[in-house]
Amino acid sequence: MAAYGIGLSWMFEIFGFFVVVLWFVLAAFHALFAEMQSRAVIRGLGGWALAAFTAANWAGWEFIRAELFPLKFPWMTAGLAMGPNALLPWIGVYAAGSLLVFVTALACGRLWKPAVLLGCGLIASVVFFRKLPVPSADDPQTVKVGGVQLESVTLEDYIKHTRTLPDDVSFVVWPEYAIPYDIRKNARDWKLAGNLCAERNITLTFGTQEVNGENGWRNIALTMNANGVRGIHNKVHTVHFFDDGIPGITADVIETDHGKIGTPICFDCDYEGIVRRMTVSGAQLFMVPVMDAISWTRRQHDQHAELFRIRAAENGRWMFVCATSGVSMAIDPHGHLHGRLGALEQGTLVASVKREKRITGYTRFGWLAPWMILGVAALGWLKLLLPVKKKAGGAANDANIPC
């Protein structure tokens, strides 16, 4: 409760005093971890076996909390605290976090030699996972991108700022909810957007809506050029407790003049599945519209920004993120920044990104690692919940049970 109350104090600005309930729900997973941990110790588990169970026990509950629980929330995890590292393209953020917990458990069990050796390995995976070179303008795979970071403004404001971008920008991204209505049903505004694409010779991705009459509306990222719509993505992971439209179910890529593009929306990148599925479908780079309200405080913006870096590193893709009030970023396939417009700022960001085709081990098979860890943890939990078998002719062995 203390950790979440301090680390996620910005939630109070959104939910008021109801946030105490949300902090309690998050803290409950740590209570479950502690319950299973105490059962393991009472059963006499120790040494390497206890360290391994500790890692699986932690990662299992963390994975459920972050990806499987109905109120899933993937912030403040052990792997996320490590930042971009060389383990992510192979086993992802949750399995990397389990290794961090494993090293800590070895140290707590005074297994100093393996703890130090593995700990140095984890440090090396961060230190030597270096920033990639800036894409060369002469490289045919390079795309010059501009983002317009504005909040609660009109279409005309986005057009005005887009016109200030350098002439060699060929792809432009506006934030989620940049156009908070169905622009295709507004003849004037749709024409203005099309004229802008023709005038600047750009492909444009931005957040808008798709209204289907009585069937409700969808939060979409629309990609267009002077010839019209190139594709849309319906946000899959809508935000809890908000009217965020009807959730989508697909993770398709969009064919553009700049290659195959993935356009996940904001919260889609908090979870591992959408970016991975788009990469498997052929996405060579990502253009991501984001809405983080200016009233949600700088800390919320900066914390949220870390999740995009993790997704880029897991799948080995350049990612250009454009947010309403920050943080807009250009991220390389190692999760390092090549451009940043900070939280609570307004303006434009220009950066070069690059199309990539290599598929990481994580995208191919490494995404199964947390599932396997969860399976191991579940077997351990089941065994610990079952009663201890009594020895023949006597009571259960109480030698390791403290008074």
Side-chain angles (χ1 to χ4, degrees):
M1 286 293 288
Y4 288 124
I6 296 170
L8 303 176
S9 59
W10 51 266
M11 279 187 166
F12 185 83
E13 303 296 330
I14 305 174
F15 300 109
F17 286 103
F18 178 67
V19 73
V20 176
V21 177
L22 300 179
W23 292 336
F24 179 85
V25 170
L26 294 173
F29 288 93
H30 299 279
L32 291 168
F33 162 80
E35 170 65 20
M36 291 304 172
Q37 200 71 11
S38 65
R39 286 173 178 261
V41 173
I42 289 172
R43 293 286 182 95
L45 207 62
W48 282 87
L50 180 59
F53 175 75
T54 302
N57 186 25
W58 179 279
W61 290 117
E62 187 173 79
F63 187 58
I64 292 172
R65 185 258 287 182
E67 297 278 351
L68 305 180
F69 184 62
L71 296 180
K72 50 193 174 185
F73 189 73
W75 303 37
M76 291 183 68
T77 65
L80 183 61
M82 292 174 64
N85 61 80
L87 296 171
L88 296 179
W90 293 101
I91 59 175
V93 68
Y94 302 111
S98 73
L99 290 178
L100 179 61
V101 174
F102 181 56
V103 170
T104 306
L106 289 173
C108 289
R110 299 186 180 183
L111 298 168
W112 299 115
K113 186 176 181 179
V116 170
L117 289 174
L118 291 174
C120 289
L122 289 181
I123 293 171
S125 75
V126 175
V127 173
F128 295 106
F129 199 54
R130 295 178 177 173
K131 188 175 183 177
L132 294 178
V134 175
S136 170
D138 298 329
D139 190 333
Q141 303 303 317
T142 297
V143 182
K144 191 74 169 285
V145 187
V148 180
Q149 181 169 297
L150 297 174
E151 182 168 331
S152 301
V153 299
T154 65
L155 172 62
E156 285 77 8
D157 291 311
Y158 282 108
I159 292 174
K160 176 183 176 182
H161 280 75
T162 300
R163 285 176 172 150
T164 68
L165 296 172
D167 293 337
D168 59 346
V169 166
S170 58
F171 208 117
V172 174
V173 187
W174 297 345
E176 180 186 13
Y177 288 116
I179 312 299
Y181 51 86
D182 193 336
I183 191 173
R184 288 177 291 178
K185 293 188 176 181
N186 185 313
R188 170 189 170 275
D189 289 359
W190 183 240
K191 184 177 180 180
L192 285 174
N195 289 343
L196 176 67
C197 291
E199 170 195 332
R200 301 286 301 186
N201 190 26
I202 58 172
T203 301
L204 174 64
T205 295
F206 61 96
T208 185
Q209 296 182 6
E210 183 178 70
V211 179
N212 298 315
E214 296 180 357
N215 295 323
W217 64 280
R218 298 178 182 274
N219 181 353
I220 66 169
L222 187 149
T223 300
M224 65 178 296
N225 61 15
N227 297 319
V229 176
R230 298 307 302 264
I232 65 171
H233 168 69
N234 185 174
K235 188 176 186 180
V236 176
H237 293 287
T238 52
V239 180
H240 313 317
F241 308 114
F242 283 81
D243 182 10
D244 204 14
I246 301 170
I249 57 174
T250 61
D252 299 328
V253 299
I254 298 170
E255 294 273 4
T256 73
D257 296 336
H258 311 287
K260 295 180 179 180
I261 309 298
T263 61
I265 303 172
C266 195
F267 219 44
D268 283 340
C269 296
D270 287 21
Y271 310 99
E272 70 86 26
I274 301 302
V275 175
R276 175 177 55 80
R277 287 165 56 192
M278 287 182 172
T279 304
V280 169
S281 296
Q284 297 167 313
L285 59 90
F286 288 86
M287 307 294 179
V288 187
V290 171
M291 196 287 290
D292 277 344
I294 199 168
S295 62
W296 293 353
T297 79
R298 184 182 302 274
R299 188 189 303 177
Q300 186 273 346
H301 290 64
D302 289 334
Q303 288 179 357
H304 194 195
E306 290 302 298
L307 288 158
F308 300 95
R309 300 176 66 198
I310 297 299
R311 298 289 92 86
E314 285 177 337
N315 296 281
R317 289 295 183 269
W318 288 84
M319 186 174 284
F320 190 94
V321 178
C322 184
T324 51
S325 58
V327 177
S328 295
M329 302 169 286
I331 310 170
D332 72 21
H334 283 185
H336 296 295
L337 300 183
H338 286 251
R340 186 180 191 273
L341 187 57
L344 313 187
E345 298 181 31
Q346 302 281 268
T348 60
L349 174 67
V350 177
S352 293
V353 297
K354 186 178 177 182
R355 291 188 290 270
E356 299 283 353
K357 293 184 179 180
R358 181 182 65 88
I359 301 297
T360 66
Y362 176 81
T363 307
R364 292 183 187 278
F365 53 80
W367 62 276
L368 293 170
W371 289 97
M372 292 188 287
I373 294 172
L374 176 59
V376 171
L379 290 175
W381 298 335
L382 179 61
K383 185 175 181 179
L384 292 171
L385 289 171
L386 294 175
V388 179
K389 291 183 179 180
K390 295 182 179 181
K391 290 184 177 181
N397 181 11
D398 292 336
N400 294 310
I401 300 178
C403 295

